[in-house]
């Protein structure tokens, strides 16, 4: 490291030019870094949605899901296959490893899905890759302004706005909910068909035979070839209605049914009680989030005369707020650290030299982030803010040692080089050990590794930059700016003497000191139970998610009526600023099984509203009284999304009945636990189904097989697409259905349906089949092709680990049916995985730190003594966490990991001096006391500088408290206790580990004194 110092002292102009280049490069890189709200934490999965209109769940399972799963399992790398099946829909999730290329796997899954022979009515499988590109970066509602009709509004969106936004650079896809699709509906009256001796198939044949346009060839007119076509294609609803079905007697289509143009939609949306269209934008993988959302807003602004935009979520706003917040908190931290350094050094010039490492290190970090394709997000910004206090440590140690030497020596390049050389090994070792602490984060797989990998890399860049600055820029500036400066010893000797006296006492009373320290450590452990444990703390957004779930099979009209009655009550609450309501779900286009019996709200509350109080009140006020109807009211987490399941118990067993019994027992057990809410299982949602059991003999007597009966009955229950009608640029599908005048609203009505057999005989359904109403689970769930039940719920308490612990105990006490087993997912698995991963990371970090220190010290005893400073940091971590009312979370554990590097830094600075003095011939006791007096000030300065730099983050004033607040609280608390104990525990352990030499030195010392006494 002294080579860098020699170069900087001999070439100050070159160093200044390099600094200017770093400033320019850092500022340039900061403008080119892509900005995102959060790092990619999506799990590697592919989703396959298949729609089979009109099919029961069991039929979908047999003809779609089972063969699809069989084909998918042949794809290499498949880890888990889970499926959910409901009426008309099949949803399959395929999990892969984080290392797999999902684009390649998606292609393989598409090939497998397309190779399956499905029934002809089944729609093409929709394969979706789980990736950030499928998550909206911009969520909004579009509302029509006065004077624009509903039809004009819809046309403006579908024909003008949607194509324009899709064409913007960086826009991957646009999801539009609430638009209606027009179609031509032909509804035949079965009584009139029977009266005219017509069948459904005959009408289909007539319509399809007439509605066509075909080329015939070419003719030559005036020496020019012209194409000849024949067309009978429909061009209007009236033309279809007037279609001649029978010439004698004259019979037109409108005489046997109704022809009309209708509008349908899977979803109904509104904003603040007004009809609206949900408009959600997804970006491409390489696009900059802020650029995309800004472009979308600019594009929508062009239509301000026709539409108004209610923005529900804009990633760019959150990103900009996070950047501004972290810059502000980082700057405040730097100011606090500077004031602390000024307090110790009592000189503005010296303080400026010390803190110059902060901006230069951050700018170098920006350059490296761009080169390593990192983005600006909550994690990388948090890494820079957290590193603000640590990057100044090396410079503090260097400048403090230079000043200490200048108190007794005249400044020169040789003095500065000598001063840097004295601490070079200490600062290099301490920086490398801190870097070694973050290395395990890069080895972690799963969400933890994904979340904190960029964070760790950012901190590593900052630390390496600070080490380089401390041995180049700081020595150069010290020589240039301090040649006329004579430092004074501001009570350093007095404070050092007091510490040396206290240290001498503890070295003579090792047992008492260690016993008290261990008692403090053991006594602090129960605080972990007081603080509670969660995966990540909740954000500070004033947003609420509501989900209304009505019984399976509820029609859209009933769902809309109920949802809008709730919406009206929400809008009357003065605490609500904006609402978005989406009723229903689009079929086959989601990353989960589409639920058509639900309505979802996103609510924005005013800034002065109490979020928890609002949620509690609405749960009671809006609690549904209708059977099998629930309303979930939860905080809306921008990172995790709305209503993330905290409790998810999978129940397996040998039979459906035993699984149901086990699921019911577990559901009741979970409900009895305090702090749980919205507990239910998928088998509770039984769905009524009308079953037609064909009596084979009776059917054959009437000339029908089951297949023929199916073909005759399907038109009564399912619309069939029989063609299209194109007028201008608009194409509408034509659907045909048979519907009795009085409808089909009972089992009796179905049994009395009249069918015309191939022998032209009219019979009723009851003549060939038994018609009855049955119950079955609304959703069939499969895990690796085996049916299972799922018990889900929410945890309302902040201490999720406490609830999960009680949940585990409650489930263990249950006596479940034979061979029925369960497994816990949700937050319990999340927390357990977090603790296991971070526990392993901490152990690996300690091992790597020890290896680095062994290499640096060239022996094992001093590094081993330093390790004893690590456990005592836990005292401050737990105490600070409880005082700050922060749960123990992933951020806290990262703080503990970071503390390992910081804590050993102080011990390294101390013992490095001890080793130097021992080489000069001092005894271990003398070396410890001398090093304690000399290195006390830099140890205190670096520790307090780090703590003061983290104070703004710990106060939680910024937008990114999700990660940074818990981490800052843990580091500050741990540093307070570990710094104090390091100054005493490490010297004690060093003496204990070198007890033979200490004993020999003490014996030699007493012998020498005795010899001098005799001589005297």
């Amino acid at each position: 490291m002294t080579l860098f110092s020699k170069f900087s002292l001999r070439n100050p102009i070159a160093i200044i030019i390099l600094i200017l280049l770093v400033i320019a490069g850092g500022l340039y890189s900061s403008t080119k870094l892509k900005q995102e709200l959060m790092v990619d934490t999506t799990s590697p999965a592919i989703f396959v949605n298949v729609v089979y209109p009109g099919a029961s769940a069991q039929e979908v399972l047999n003809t779609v899901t089972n063969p699809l799963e069989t084909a998918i399992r042949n794809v290499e790398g498949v880890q888990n296959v889970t499926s959910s099946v409901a009426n008309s829909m099949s949803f399959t999730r395929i999990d892969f490893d984080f290392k797999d290329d999902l684009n390649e796997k998606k292609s393989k899954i598409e090939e497998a899905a397309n190779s399956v022979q499905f029934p002809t009515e089944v729609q093409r499988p929709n394969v979706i890759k789980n990736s950030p590109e499928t998550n909206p970066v911009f969520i909004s509602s579009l509302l029509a302004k006065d004077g624009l009709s509903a039809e004009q509004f819809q046309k403006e969106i579908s024909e003008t706005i949607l194509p324009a936004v899709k064409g913007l650079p960086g826009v991957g896809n646009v999801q539009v909910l609430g638009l209606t699709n027009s179609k031509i509906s032909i509804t035949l009256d079965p009584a009139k068909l029977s009266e005219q001796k017509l069948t459904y198939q005959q009408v289909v044949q007539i319509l399809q035979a007439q509605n066509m346009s075909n080329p015939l060839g070419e003719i030559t007119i005036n020496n020019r070839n012209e194409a000849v076509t024949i067309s009978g294609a429909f061009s209007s609803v009236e033309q279809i209605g007037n279609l001649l079905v029978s010439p004698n007697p004259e019979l037109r289509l409108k005489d046997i049914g109704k022809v009309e143009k209708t509008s349908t939609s899977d979803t109904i949306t509104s904003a603040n009680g007004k009809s609206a269209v949900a408009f959600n934008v997804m970006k491409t993988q390489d696009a900059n989030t802020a650029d995309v959302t800004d472009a979308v807003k600019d594009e929508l602004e062009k239509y301000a005369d026709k539409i108004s935009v209610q923005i529900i979520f804009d990633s760019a706003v959150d990103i900009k707020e996070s950047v501004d917040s972290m810059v502000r908190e980082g700057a405040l931290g730097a100011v606090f650290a500077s004031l602390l350094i000024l307090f110790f050094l009592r000189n503005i010039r010296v303080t400026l030299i010390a803190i110059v490492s902060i901006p230069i290190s951050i700018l170098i970090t920006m350059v490296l982030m761009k080169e390593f394709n990192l983005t600006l997000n909550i994690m990388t910004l948090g890494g820079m803010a957290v590193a603000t206090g640590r990057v100044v440590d090396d410079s503090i140690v260097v400048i403090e040692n230079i000043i200490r030497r200048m108190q007794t020596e005249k400044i020169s390049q040789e003095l500065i080089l000598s001063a840097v050389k004295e601490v070079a090994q200490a600062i290099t070792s301490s920086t490398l050990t801190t870097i070694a602490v973050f290395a395990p984060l890069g080895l972690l797989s799963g969400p933890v590794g994904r979340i904190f990998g960029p964070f760790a890399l950012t901190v590593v860049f900052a630390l390496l930059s600070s080490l380089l600055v401390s041995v180049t820029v700081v020595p150069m500036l010290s020589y240039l700016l301090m040649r006329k400066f004579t430092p004074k010893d501001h009570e350093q000797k007095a404070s050092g003497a007091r510490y040396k006296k206290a240290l001498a006492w503890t070295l003579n009373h090792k047992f008492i000191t260690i016993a008290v320290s261990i008692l403090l450590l053991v006594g602090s452990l129960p605080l972990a139970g007081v603080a509670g444990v969660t995966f990540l703390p909740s954000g500070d957004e004033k947003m609420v998610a509501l989900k209304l779930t009505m019984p399976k099979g509820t029609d859209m009209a009933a769902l809309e009526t109920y949802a809008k009655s709730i919406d009206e009550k929400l809008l009357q609450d003065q605490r609500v600023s904006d609402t978005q309501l989406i009723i229903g779900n689009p079929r086959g286009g989601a990353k989960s099984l589409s639920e058509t019996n639900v309505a979802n709200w996103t609510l924005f509350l005013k800034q002065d509203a109490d979020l928890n109080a609002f949620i509690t009140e609405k749960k009671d006020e809006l609690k549904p009284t209708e059977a099998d109807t629930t309303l979930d009211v939860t905080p809306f987490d921008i990172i995790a999304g709305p209503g993330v399941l905290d409790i998810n118990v999978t129940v397996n067993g040998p039979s459906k009945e035993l699984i149901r019994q086990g699921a019911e027992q577990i559901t009741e057990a979970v409900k009895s636990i305090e702090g749980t809410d919205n507990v239910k299982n998928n088998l509770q949602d039984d769905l009524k189904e009308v079953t037609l059991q064909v009596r084979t003999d009776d059917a054959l007597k009437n000339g029908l097989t089951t297949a023929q009966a199916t073909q005759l009955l399907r038109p009564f229950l399912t619309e069939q697409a029989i063609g299209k009608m194109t007028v201008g640029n608009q194409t509408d599908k034509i659907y045909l259905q048979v519907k009795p005048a009085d409808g089909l609203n009972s089992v009796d009505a179905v049994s009395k349906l009249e069918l015309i057999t191939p022998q032209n005989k009219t019979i009723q359904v009851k003549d060939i089949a038994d018609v009855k109403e049955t119950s079955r689970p609304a959703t069939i769930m499969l895990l690796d092709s085996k049916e299972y039940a799922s018990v889900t719920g929410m945890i309302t308490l902040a201490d999720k680990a406490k609830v999960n612990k009680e949940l585990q105990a409650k489930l263990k006490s249950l006596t479940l049916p034979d061979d029925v087993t369960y497994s816990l997912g949700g937050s319990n698995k999340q927390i357990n995985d977090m603790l296991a991963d971070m526990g392993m990371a901490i152990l690996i970090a300690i091992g790597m730190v020890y290896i680095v220190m062994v290499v640096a010290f060239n022996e094992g005893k001093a590094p081993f003594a330093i390790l004893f400073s690590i456990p005592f940091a836990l005292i401050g971590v737990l105490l600070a966490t409880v005082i700050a009312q922060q749960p123990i979370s992933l951020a806290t554990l990262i703080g503990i990991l970071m503390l390992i590097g910081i804590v050993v830094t102080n011990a390294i600075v101390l013992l490095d001096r001890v080793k130097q003095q021992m080489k000069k011939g001092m005894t271990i006791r003398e070396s410890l006391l001398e090093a304690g007096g000399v290195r006390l000030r830099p140890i205190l300065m670096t520790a307090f500088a780090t703590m003061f730099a983290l104070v703004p983050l710990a106060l939680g004033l910024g937008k990114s408290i999700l990660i940074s607040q818990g981490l800052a609280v843990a580091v500050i608390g741990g540093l307070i206790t570990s710094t104090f104990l390091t100054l005493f525990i490490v010297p004690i352990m060093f003496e204990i580990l070198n007890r033979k030499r200490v004993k020999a030195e003490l014996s030699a010392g007493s012998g020498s004194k005795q010899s001098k006494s005799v001589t005297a």
Side-chain angles (χ1 to χ4, degrees), residues 992-1007:
I992 291 175
L993 292 172
N994 293 277
R995 56 189 176 279
K996 290 184 179 180
R997 180 171 174 176
V998 171
K999 188 176 182 180
E1001 288 173 347
L1002 290 174
S1003 298
S1006 61

PDB file of all heavy atoms in Angstrom, residues 992-1007:
ATOM      1  N   ILE A 992      -4.856 -14.192  27.548  1.00  0.00           N
ATOM      2  CA  ILE A 992      -5.180 -15.583  27.892  1.00  0.00           C
ATOM      3  C   ILE A 992      -4.595 -16.546  26.857  1.00  0.00           C
ATOM      4  O   ILE A 992      -4.029 -17.583  27.208  1.00  0.00           O
ATOM      5  CB  ILE A 992      -6.714 -15.759  27.999  1.00  0.00           C
ATOM      6  CG1 ILE A 992      -7.243 -15.014  29.235  1.00  0.00           C
ATOM      7  CG2 ILE A 992      -7.085 -17.245  28.074  1.00  0.00           C
ATOM      8  CD1 ILE A 992      -8.751 -15.019  29.363  1.00  0.00           C
ATOM      9  N   LEU A 993      -4.714 -16.199  25.582  1.00  0.00           N
ATOM     10  CA  LEU A 993      -4.195 -17.068  24.528  1.00  0.00           C
ATOM     11  C   LEU A 993      -2.663 -17.095  24.508  1.00  0.00           C
ATOM     12  O   LEU A 993      -2.058 -18.024  23.968  1.00  0.00           O
ATOM     13  CB  LEU A 993      -4.727 -16.608  23.167  1.00  0.00           C
ATOM     14  CG  LEU A 993      -6.237 -16.800  22.950  1.00  0.00           C
ATOM     15  CD1 LEU A 993      -6.685 -16.133  21.660  1.00  0.00           C
ATOM     16  CD2 LEU A 993      -6.600 -18.281  22.916  1.00  0.00           C
ATOM     17  N   ASN A 994      -2.042 -16.066  25.080  1.00  0.00           N
ATOM     18  CA  ASN A 994      -0.575 -16.020  25.169  1.00  0.00           C
ATOM     19  C   ASN A 994      -0.129 -16.104  26.634  1.00  0.00           C
ATOM     20  O   ASN A 994       0.864 -15.477  27.033  1.00  0.00           O
ATOM     21  CB  ASN A 994      -0.047 -14.719  24.533  1.00  0.00           C
ATOM     22  CG  ASN A 994      -0.260 -14.666  23.036  1.00  0.00           C
ATOM     23  OD1 ASN A 994       0.523 -15.199  22.262  1.00  0.00           O
ATOM     24  ND2 ASN A 994      -1.352 -14.017  22.627  1.00  0.00           N
ATOM     25  N   ARG A 995      -0.909 -16.881  27.427  1.00  0.00           N
ATOM     26  CA  ARG A 995      -0.684 -16.896  28.878  1.00  0.00           C
ATOM     27  C   ARG A 995       0.715 -17.393  29.260  1.00  0.00           C
ATOM     28  O   ARG A 995       1.293 -16.923  30.247  1.00  0.00           O
ATOM     29  CB  ARG A 995      -1.760 -17.724  29.577  1.00  0.00           C
ATOM     30  CG  ARG A 995      -1.910 -19.154  29.082  1.00  0.00           C
ATOM     31  CD  ARG A 995      -3.148 -19.810  29.697  1.00  0.00           C
ATOM     32  NE  ARG A 995      -3.371 -21.150  29.183  1.00  0.00           N
ATOM     33  CZ  ARG A 995      -3.965 -21.399  28.029  1.00  0.00           C
ATOM     34  NH1 ARG A 995      -4.407 -20.405  27.299  1.00  0.00           N
ATOM     35  NH2 ARG A 995      -4.131 -22.648  27.621  1.00  0.00           N
ATOM     36  N   LYS A 996       1.277 -18.346  28.513  1.00  0.00           N
ATOM     37  CA  LYS A 996       2.615 -18.849  28.850  1.00  0.00           C
ATOM     38  C   LYS A 996       3.646 -17.740  28.721  1.00  0.00           C
ATOM     39  O   LYS A 996       4.511 -17.563  29.589  1.00  0.00           O
ATOM     40  CB  LYS A 996       2.980 -20.025  27.944  1.00  0.00           C
ATOM     41  CG  LYS A 996       2.189 -21.289  28.223  1.00  0.00           C
ATOM     42  CD  LYS A 996       2.675 -22.437  27.336  1.00  0.00           C
ATOM     43  CE  LYS A 996       1.888 -23.718  27.634  1.00  0.00           C
ATOM     44  NZ  LYS A 996       2.341 -24.846  26.775  1.00  0.00           N
ATOM     45  N   ARG A 997       3.567 -16.982  27.620  1.00  0.00           N
ATOM     46  CA  ARG A 997       4.527 -15.891  27.432  1.00  0.00           C
ATOM     47  C   ARG A 997       4.294 -14.794  28.454  1.00  0.00           C
ATOM     48  O   ARG A 997       5.262 -14.221  28.984  1.00  0.00           O
ATOM     49  CB  ARG A 997       4.399 -15.339  26.015  1.00  0.00           C
ATOM     50  CG  ARG A 997       5.344 -14.199  25.732  1.00  0.00           C
ATOM     51  CD  ARG A 997       5.346 -13.822  24.279  1.00  0.00           C
ATOM     52  NE  ARG A 997       6.149 -12.621  24.056  1.00  0.00           N
ATOM     53  CZ  ARG A 997       6.412 -12.085  22.860  1.00  0.00           C
ATOM     54  NH1 ARG A 997       5.937 -12.690  21.762  1.00  0.00           N
ATOM     55  NH2 ARG A 997       7.137 -10.996  22.748  1.00  0.00           N
ATOM     56  N   VAL A 998       3.021 -14.490  28.748  1.00  0.00           N
ATOM     57  CA  VAL A 998       2.708 -13.457  29.746  1.00  0.00           C
ATOM     58  C   VAL A 998       3.270 -13.855  31.100  1.00  0.00           C
ATOM     59  O   VAL A 998       3.872 -13.044  31.819  1.00  0.00           O
ATOM     60  CB  VAL A 998       1.181 -13.239  29.836  1.00  0.00           C
ATOM     61  CG1 VAL A 998       0.843 -12.329  31.015  1.00  0.00           C
ATOM     62  CG2 VAL A 998       0.649 -12.650  28.549  1.00  0.00           C
ATOM     63  N   LYS A 999       3.085 -15.137  31.460  1.00  0.00           N
ATOM     64  CA  LYS A 999       3.582 -15.625  32.745  1.00  0.00           C
ATOM     65  C   LYS A 999       5.093 -15.541  32.812  1.00  0.00           C
ATOM     66  O   LYS A 999       5.681 -15.121  33.824  1.00  0.00           O
ATOM     67  CB  LYS A 999       3.122 -17.074  32.943  1.00  0.00           C
ATOM     68  CG  LYS A 999       3.418 -17.628  34.323  1.00  0.00           C
ATOM     69  CD  LYS A 999       2.830 -19.026  34.463  1.00  0.00           C
ATOM     70  CE  LYS A 999       3.103 -19.559  35.884  1.00  0.00           C
ATOM     71  NZ  LYS A 999       2.545 -20.933  36.056  1.00  0.00           N
ATOM     72  N   ALA A1000       5.744 -15.902  31.697  1.00  0.00           N
ATOM     73  CA  ALA A1000       7.206 -15.827  31.657  1.00  0.00           C
ATOM     74  C   ALA A1000       7.678 -14.381  31.763  1.00  0.00           C
ATOM     75  O   ALA A1000       8.663 -14.075  32.467  1.00  0.00           O
ATOM     76  CB  ALA A1000       7.715 -16.452  30.364  1.00  0.00           C
ATOM     77  N   GLU A1001       6.979 -13.472  31.066  1.00  0.00           N
ATOM     78  CA  GLU A1001       7.371 -12.061  31.115  1.00  0.00           C
ATOM     79  C   GLU A1001       7.171 -11.478  32.509  1.00  0.00           C
ATOM     80  O   GLU A1001       7.993 -10.693  32.995  1.00  0.00           O
ATOM     81  CB  GLU A1001       6.559 -11.264  30.089  1.00  0.00           C
ATOM     82  CG  GLU A1001       6.970 -11.550  28.647  1.00  0.00           C
ATOM     83  CD  GLU A1001       6.049 -10.888  27.636  1.00  0.00           C
ATOM     84  OE1 GLU A1001       4.954 -10.406  28.030  1.00  0.00           O
ATOM     85  OE2 GLU A1001       6.421 -10.860  26.453  1.00  0.00           O
ATOM     86  N   LEU A1002       6.057 -11.871  33.158  1.00  0.00           N
ATOM     87  CA  LEU A1002       5.817 -11.380  34.512  1.00  0.00           C
ATOM     88  C   LEU A1002       6.865 -11.920  35.478  1.00  0.00           C
ATOM     89  O   LEU A1002       7.348 -11.213  36.371  1.00  0.00           O
ATOM     90  CB  LEU A1002       4.409 -11.781  34.973  1.00  0.00           C
ATOM     91  CG  LEU A1002       3.247 -11.059  34.280  1.00  0.00           C
ATOM     92  CD1 LEU A1002       1.908 -11.639  34.724  1.00  0.00           C
ATOM     93  CD2 LEU A1002       3.282  -9.554  34.585  1.00  0.00           C
ATOM     94  N   SER A1003       7.233 -13.214  35.298  1.00  0.00           N
ATOM     95  CA  SER A1003       8.262 -13.813  36.160  1.00  0.00           C
ATOM     96  C   SER A1003       9.601 -13.131  35.940  1.00  0.00           C
ATOM     97  O   SER A1003      10.337 -12.803  36.896  1.00  0.00           O
ATOM     98  CB  SER A1003       8.393 -15.310  35.851  1.00  0.00           C
ATOM     99  OG  SER A1003       7.188 -15.971  36.123  1.00  0.00           O
ATOM    100  N   ALA A1004       9.948 -12.870  34.685  1.00  0.00           N
ATOM    101  CA  ALA A1004      11.195 -12.193  34.371  1.00  0.00           C
ATOM    102  C   ALA A1004      11.200 -10.785  34.930  1.00  0.00           C
ATOM    103  O   ALA A1004      12.209 -10.297  35.464  1.00  0.00           O
ATOM    104  CB  ALA A1004      11.417 -12.166  32.861  1.00  0.00           C
ATOM    105  N   GLY A1005      10.035 -10.153  34.853  1.00  0.00           N
ATOM    106  CA  GLY A1005       9.932  -8.795  35.388  1.00  0.00           C
ATOM    107  C   GLY A1005      10.113  -8.752  36.879  1.00  0.00           C
ATOM    108  O   GLY A1005      10.822  -7.902  37.428  1.00  0.00           O
ATOM    109  N   SER A1006       9.468  -9.692  37.607  1.00  0.00           N
ATOM    110  CA  SER A1006       9.597  -9.713  39.070  1.00  0.00           C
ATOM    111  C   SER A1006      11.010 -10.096  39.468  1.00  0.00           C
ATOM    112  O   SER A1006      11.571  -9.596  40.444  1.00  0.00           O
ATOM    113  CB  SER A1006       8.574 -10.699  39.669  1.00  0.00           C
ATOM    114  OG  SER A1006       8.811 -12.011  39.183  1.00  0.00           O
ATOM    115  N   GLY A1007      11.652 -11.022  38.678  1.00  0.00           N
ATOM    116  CA  GLY A1007      13.032 -11.412  38.975  1.00  0.00           C
ATOM    117  C   GLY A1007      13.981 -10.250  38.808  1.00  0.00           C
ATOM    118  O   GLY A1007      14.931 -10.070  39.580  1.00  0.00           O
TER     119      GLY A1007
END
